[in-house]
């Protein structure tokens, strides 16, 4: 067992011990390492001012990812290289990304600019074939004063004039140094008052959870995967969490396993890692995943974390409910499988014991003839939480609906299926008449609340309109968006 987190800060190997379990990387960088180029804007993952780049070995090469330092705990740096805006220039020479920002007049105020630079840098480090467009890469970086156009022009300049930088020239050496840090030991970091543990295996996590079972609320372990939800409890609700068990040290939870009829997404798999597989399974839902947070959130947040938090407005749960997914859970040596349908019991309550954890979510492939569609309605296109999210799995033969699953977020205290509406649609012809009856049923069945995101009436109207959209797309086969609309 190790009591120090080890990572590379730029080129320097750093060991940190004796810190609070919930110390954020942002506070450590600014307060201890005195690297103040990384800024604090919102301290809740929204603005991107704190964007840094984490580098980890992946499939034999270095993988560069933009992440928000404010929702990252120092223990989560274990085994990574951290690059901040201070690490880009090579001596007195600006990095090509910085130079492009200067040349394109993209440099703005001191709060947002370092974050923009780091997001562009992470994008430039992706192989060209995998590079997302600049607008998508910058969706997690907010500026409310000036404009994005010069920054997008800077991204185009970078694409046109790329050349290896100092870190590329050292990549072999860095890869070897990072791989050497991955020694399968468990990390136990703390200041005598709080404790952050990164178990090295599922067995160890299972054992630790059972050992801590029965603790009072204050002493109950908090599981952390990407910390994009839990980080806000720490930063905004000022919750004291002790102990924290981080899943990121467990290789077996970071796998995506595939078989003929389903894929299994491990509890440590981020949105970014799962995205290609999910889009491959459900091609019509691709736009949804790119609208979950910004790139920084998707590089940290996990698919399973989105289910486990039980949020009624989470986006993955309706999608996976409609898909007919199930969960793998483990408590001590006991493993069980649970239909996702049965996991959400009531607001804030899920069918999971305090000493139990989710190992994976199992997602069935589509059977021939079936389709899965999902639509997210939110006030802003990028980096916003859903007012209403509807996902539908449909087996329609051109005349009759053979089977249907309709799942909603934002329409009740939990994500839910509209079962009575499904029953009305199942087995019948798919006509305007059936649509009207199904919409009336939806209005009876769903009881959304009014809150700052939307009123109950608006939510019901949206749900009914989305059902009509389904009808138009599947029966009339007419477009439901203006040709130049950027949202799917
Ligand atoms: C700026 C921002 C934008 C966001 N945008 C969206 C959005 O558009 N749509 C959306 O749905 N969500 C959004 N989120 C919420 C969040 O990113 C997701 O819910 C994410 O999937 C959570 O995953 P995580 O790995 O970060 O979970 P964590 O924060 O690590 O954990 C979340 C919860 O799950 C529990 N948990 C985690 N793993 C397990 C496990 N294996 N077994 C049991 N319990 C577990 C934790 O104890 C905690 O209660 C956003 C968050 C931020 C900060
Ligand atoms: S400070 Fe705003 S995302 Fe971290
Ligand atoms: S926030 Fe920096 S210029 Fe707008």
């Amino acid at each position: 067992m190790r009591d120090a987190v080890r990572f590379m800060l730029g080129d320097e190997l750093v060991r940190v011990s004796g810190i609070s379990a919930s110390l954020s990387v942002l506070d450590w960088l600014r307060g201890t390492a005195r690297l103040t180029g990384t800024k604090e804007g919102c301290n809740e993952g929204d603005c991107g001012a704190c964007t840094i780049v984490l580098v980890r070995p992946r499939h034999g090469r270095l993988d560069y990812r933009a992440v928000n330092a404010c929702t990252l705990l120092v223990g989560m740096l274990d085994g990574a290289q951290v690059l901040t805006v201070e690490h880009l220039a090579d001596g007195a020479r600006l990095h090509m990304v910085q130079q492009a920002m200067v040349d394109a007049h993209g440099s703005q105020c001191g709060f947002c600019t370092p974050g923009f630079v780091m997001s562009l840098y992470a994008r430039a480090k992706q192989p060209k074939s995998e590079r997302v467009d600049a607008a998508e890469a910058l969706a997690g970086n907010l500026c409310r004063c000036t404009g994005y156009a010069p920054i997008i022009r800077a991204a185009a300049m970078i694409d046109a004039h790329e050349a290896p930088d100092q870190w590329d020239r050292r990549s072999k050496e860095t890869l070897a140094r990072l791989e050497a840090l991955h020694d399968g030991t468990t990390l136990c970091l703390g200041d005598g008052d709080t404790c952050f543990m990164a178990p090295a295996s599922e067995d160890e996590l299972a054992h630790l959870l059972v050992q801590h079972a029965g603790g009072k609320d204050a002493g109950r372990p908090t599981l952390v995967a990407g910390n994009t939800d839990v980080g806000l409890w720490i930063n905004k609700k000022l919750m004291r969490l002790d102990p924290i068990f981080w899943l990121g040290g467990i290789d077996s939870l970071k796998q995506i396993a595939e078989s003929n009829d389903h894929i299994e997404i491990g509890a440590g798999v981020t949105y970014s890692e799962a995205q290609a597989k999910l889009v491959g399974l459900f091609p019509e839902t691709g736009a949804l995943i790119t609208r979950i947070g910004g790139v920084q959130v998707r590089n940290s947040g996990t698919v399973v974390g989105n289910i486990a938090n039980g949020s009624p407005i989470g986006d993955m749960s309706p999608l996976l409910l409609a898909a007919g997914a199930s969960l793998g859970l483990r408590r001590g040596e006991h493993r069980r499988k649970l239909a996702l349908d049965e996991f959400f019991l009531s607001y804030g309550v899920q069918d999971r014991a305090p000493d139990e954890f989710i190992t994976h979510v199992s997602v069935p492939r589509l059977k021939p003839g079936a389709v899965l569609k999902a639509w997210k309605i939110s006030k802003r296109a990028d980096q916003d939480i859903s007012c209403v999210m509807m996902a539908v799995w449909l087996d329609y033969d051109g005349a009759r609906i053979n089977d249907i699953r309709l799942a909603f977020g934002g329409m009740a205290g939990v994500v839910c299926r509209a079962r009575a509406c499904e029953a009305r649609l199942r087995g019948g012809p798919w006509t305007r008449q059936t649509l009207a009856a199904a919409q009336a049923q939806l209005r009876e069945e769903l009881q959304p609340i009014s809150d700052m995101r939307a009123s109950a009436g608006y939510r019901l109207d949206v749900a009914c309109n989305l059902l009509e959209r389904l009808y138009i797309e599947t029966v009339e086969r007419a477009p439901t968006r203006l040709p130049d609309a950027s949202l799917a």
Side-chain angles (χ1 to χ4, degrees):
M1 189 130 18
R2 259 185 301 127
D3 67 356
V5 50
R6 298 177 308 196
F7 56 92
M8 286 173 69
L9 182 59
D11 211 21
E12 185 193 351
L13 179 63
V14 176
R15 288 166 208 269
V16 179
S17 57
I19 55 165
S20 158
S22 53
L23 181 66
S24 76
V25 173
L26 177 61
D27 285 349
W28 183 84
L29 282 172
R30 293 181 58 82
T32 304
R34 305 304 292 162
L35 293 174
T36 51
T38 306
K39 298 294 189 258
E40 177 178 330
C42 63
N43 209 19
E44 59 181 39
D46 250 321
C47 73
C50 65
T51 304
I52 58 168
V53 168
L54 283 195
V55 189
R56 292 189 189 274
R58 191 170 153 81
H59 306 314
R61 68 174 177 91
L62 294 175
D63 185 45
Y64 291 70
R65 297 281 165 179
V67 293
N68 290 319
C70 66
T71 55
L72 210 64
L73 304 175
V74 175
M76 295 166 73
L77 298 179
D78 206 37
Q81 182 187 33
V82 180
L83 298 177
T84 68
V85 73
E86 286 89 349
H87 296 118
L88 299 200
D90 195 354
R93 219 178 56 239
L94 287 182
H95 190 275
M96 127 186 99
V97 168
Q98 295 168 309
Q99 193 59 53
M101 284 285 272
V102 173
D103 294 345
H105 303 285
S107 176
Q108 304 184 154
C109 81
F111 276 96
C112 62
T113 302
F116 277 111
V117 167
M118 293 312 285
S119 287
L120 288 178
Y121 175 66
R123 175 179 176 273
K125 288 292 184 186
Q126 302 304 315
K128 259 197 167 157
S129 59
E130 292 169 28
R131 219 170 272 177
V132 298
D133 70 41
E136 188 179 325
L138 298 172
N141 292 83
L142 303 192
C143 163
R144 294 181 173 244
C145 346
T146 57
Y148 286 73
I151 304 176
I152 290 175
R153 282 197 287 276
M157 282 182 180
I158 296 162
D159 288 349
H161 305 289
E162 47 189 316
D165 67 7
Q166 48 172 324
W167 301 111
D168 294 319
R169 291 193 288 275
R170 278 180 235 174
S171 63
K172 264 196 182 156
E173 183 201 330
T174 307
L175 185 63
R177 289 174 73 188
L178 292 179
E179 280 174 348
L181 292 181
H182 194 76
D183 61 2
T185 52
T186 288
L187 169 66
C188 179
L189 187 65
D191 55 0
D193 194 27
T194 58
C195 159
F196 174 103
M197 288 198 77
S201 69
E202 282 184 52
D203 285 349
E204 200 170 349
L205 173 63
H207 174 70
L208 280 168
L209 280 171
V210 170
Q211 212 179 21
H212 283 78
K216 295 197 191 73
D217 272 358
R220 271 216 188 122
T222 302
L223 284 172
V224 163
N227 202 44
T228 59
D229 284 320
V230 176
L232 274 57
W233 309 349
I234 298 171
N235 295 354
K236 297 291 154 170
K237 294 187 182 169
L238 306 182
M239 281 172 72
R240 181 182 178 278
L241 304 178
D242 175 53
I244 289 173
F245 292 164
W246 180 50
L247 307 178
I250 305 175
D251 286 342
S252 59
L253 295 181
K254 293 186 195 158
Q255 311 299 324
I256 301 181
E258 296 193 61
S259 73
N260 286 341
D261 56 0
H262 67 276
I263 69 167
E264 279 184 9
I265 302 174
V269 175
T270 63
Y271 291 111
S272 300
E273 290 159 350
Q275 181 168 356
K277 293 281 183 235
L278 283 170
V279 174
L281 279 191
F282 311 127
E284 300 203 32
T285 65
L288 172 77
I289 298 179
T290 55
R291 290 189 55 213
I292 295 181
V295 170
Q296 295 93 323
V297 170
R298 297 196 294 275
N299 282 342
S300 293
T302 60
V303 173
V304 165
N306 195 252
I307 299 167
N309 72 21
S311 166
I313 46 173
D315 289 325
M316 285 318 287
S317 299
L319 180 88
L320 297 172
L321 259 188
S326 58
L327 297 178
L329 290 120
R330 177 167 175 184
R331 184 183 196 184
E333 292 306 310
H334 179 66
R335 290 176 188 267
R336 68 184 172 120
K337 185 174 168 180
L338 183 72
L340 191 54
D341 256 346
E342 293 166 28
F343 183 63
F344 305 106
L345 301 178
S346 61
Y347 180 71
V349 185
Q350 296 89 44
D351 182 356
R352 180 176 77 81
D355 52 350
E356 197 172 27
F357 65 101
I358 302 173
T359 53
H360 64 271
V361 56
S362 174
V363 191
R365 292 182 191 278
L366 282 175
K367 63 178 194 175
V371 66
L372 187 79
K373 289 173 177 273
W375 296 298
K376 167 172 176 162
I377 307 299
S378 55
K379 286 185 182 168
R380 250 186 357 222
D382 291 320
Q383 180 110 305
D384 202 1
I385 302 292
S386 298
C387 302
V388 178
M389 154 86 195
M390 178 176 118
V392 55
W393 175 94
L394 180 72
D395 174 4
Y396 169 60
D397 62 15
R400 246 169 48 102
I401 293 181
N402 297 320
D403 204 356
I404 185 165
R405 287 191 292 269
L406 266 178
F408 286 94
M411 298 301 287
V414 288
V415 292
C416 61
R417 296 259 301 270
R419 289 180 185 277
C421 182
E422 289 173 6
R424 197 165 271 259
L425 289 166
R426 196 172 290 123
W430 195 197
T431 61
R432 280 256 163 211
Q433 234 180 349
T434 341
L435 169 67
Q439 286 172 322
Q441 183 63 55
L442 264 191
R443 287 186 185 277
E444 258 182 51
E445 188 175 3
L446 298 174
Q447 279 140 13
I449 57 163
S450 294
D451 64 12
M452 61 172 181
R453 291 205 172 83
S455 67
Y458 173 81
R459 288 187 151 113
L460 277 171
D461 285 348
V462 167
C464 290
N465 290 349
L466 289 176
L467 203 57
E468 179 162 3
R469 182 174 180 177
L470 175 72
Y471 175 81
I472 294 171
E473 287 192 6
T474 52
V475 179
E476 298 179 347
R477 301 201 173 262
T480 51
R481 299 293 301 174
L482 296 171
D484 63 348
S486 58
L487 302 181

